[in-house]
Amino acid sequence: MIKFIKVTKEYGRPEPALSDVSFHLVKGQFAFLTGHSGSGKSTALRLAHLAERPTHGEVRVSGFSSSRTSRRDVWKLRRKVGYVFQDFRLLPNRTALENVSFALEVIGSSRKQIVPRAQRLLAQVGLAPKAGAWVHELSGGEQQRVAIARALASEPLLLLADEPTGNLDERATRGIMDLFWEINVLGMAVLMATHDLELMRRHPKARVLELDEGHLVYDSAEKEQPEGRPDRSPGVLISDLAGEPEPAQEREI
Amino acid sequence: MNRSRPKKERSDVFYTIRETLTAFKRAPLLTGLSAAMVGLALFVVGLFGLATYNVQVYMETLEERVEVVAYLRDDATTEEIADMVRALTSLPEVLGVDFVTKGEALERAYRELPEFSEILTDLEVNPLPASLEIQLRPGNRTPETANRIAEQAGLYPPVEEVQYGEEWVDKLFTLRRMGAVTTTVLGTAFAVVAALIIGTAVRIAIFARQEEIKIMQLVGARDAFIHRPFLLEGGITGALGGALALALTYTTFWSVFHYLFIISWIPWEWVGIGVSSGIVFGVLASGYAVRKHLREV
């Protein structure tokens, strides 16, 4: 599903944003990508979406390789990978239904199917009654649900989420996390960047990948922790978690 | 597969038109401002075109007065003059030859020089010679051609003297060359400035919708699919601007014509080129701006 093979990403600064990172997320897996601000979480997600290319190494996502996929063909990958942001990124001058319909329209869905499908997607995220509401009339949690519905428009195999609960209160966060798990149960892999320890504590079944200063310092699915740091110790965040997270059950295809 | 393709293409065209119209409807002020900027930029070009065209028309009027005059000896025979007229008329550079008799020359002098009418009346003998006025074809009214024809005319026996107003013809052509250089330099400068303004106006409109472009890329829209509504929007903005520039230029022409002095309206081909340039610059600027945003994501 996603495979990072010795990936390094440099931006011209002395320290690379990601350094020699390798991991493999399989179909149907739910994983948190954690670490402090600036640890490289967002860079990893952008690489997984081929919004950027690694300086060294290779990223493989759903059969697409960072070293072989041309810029012109990236749209094919994007239809297999949904993306959800912390700030939702909805079009403000459209309704919830129009935001989802817009995604369906630009990927070439037939005109007759667009509205019924958009309504079904909104129903799937629990927002059917608010389909006609303008974005500014929705709460943060509701806006994130619309963003998730939009991400699901192309029926992706993988959902990338960059701090999707970062702007939400406790109740909305729980709702969104429940939604992500429901989507995951349907077979979609989820890779969620977060630095919310409490969130990870509440979902011990998820795999945890921790980045620290661009290095992958902890992977709950590995018995032997990854190389890249001299002491191979978990970073500060994982050390703070109460108890060891249980390794997630992998469903290799 | 083959049967569904045209339907898909129709759907894309429909989407392109609808998205473009929706964009205008959602941000009418921005669209109006962009079109107004394009219109004002092209209006400056239109005014320049109007001025250039009228200077050109005036110069052509002056050029029409470039002619070679061969003054004839008083003893020249009618046959000699007729032979000379035939020979000169057959030259490719010559448009026509008019014979002016001594009497016609005196009448003209009365008419054109009224202050000398008393002196002319007191004359016992008409001192003015008969002449042949040789008009040159358009494109041959240059100092070089006028000089060559004058030399040729001077070789005929009945001719006493040939004149073509060397000094003012030379000045006219120096002026024309300066005019051509000035027109080219200023015209290029105005066109470049107009292109930059049109580019900026269209890019501002696209900048306001960059989030939309990012979302389209995010969900997997093809680049060509993202491009099309923006290209159409750029073209329509350019066309609206062109129409505004045409209206402003025509209003200026009408006002000058009716209240100041008589001028000519620019040829419609020039109008077509101006409005088309607005559309082309709009499309190009739009394509460039969208491409830039696409590369950033």
Side-chain angles (χ1 to χ4, degrees), chain A residues 71 79 89 93 105 107 111, chain B residues 18 26 215 219-220 223:
Chain A
R71 213 196 70 81
R79 292 188 186 185
R89 301 211 183 160
N93 50 359
E105 191 159 32
I107 59 172
R111 283 186 50 73
Chain B
R18 195 162 45 79
R26 285 210 173 98
I215 289 166
V219 297
D223 283 2

Side-chain angles (χ1 to χ4, degrees), chain A residues 46 49 51 71 75 78-79 83 85 89-91 93-94 98 102-103 105-108 111 150, chain B residues 8 11 14-15 18-19 26 211-212 215-223 225 294-297:
Chain A
R46 286 178 63 76
H49 207 228
R71 213 196 70 81
W75 63 270
R78 301 273 165 87
R79 292 188 186 185
Y83 207 118
F85 296 91
R89 301 211 183 160
L90 298 176
L91 294 172
N93 50 359
R94 301 186 191 220
E98 284 170 345
F102 180 68
E105 191 159 32
V106 301
I107 59 172
R111 283 186 50 73
R150 181 182 65 191
Chain B
K8 174 84 173 57
S11 162
F14 184 77
Y15 164 81
R18 195 162 45 79
E19 264 309 296
R26 285 210 173 98
E211 196 60 27
E212 213 169 300
I215 289 166
M216 288 166 98
Q217 271 200 305
L218 186 76
V219 297
R222 283 170 286 125
D223 283 2
F225 191 85
L294 288 178
R295 282 186 183 151
E296 281 171 4
V297 179

Side-chain angles (χ1 to χ4, degrees), chain A residues 21-41:
Chain A
V21 170
S22 297
F23 67 87
H24 184 194
L25 189 75
V26 296
K27 190 178 178 188
Q29 201 167 32
F30 194 120
F32 288 120
L33 183 63
T34 190
H36 288 293
S37 295
S39 59
K41 304 187 294 292

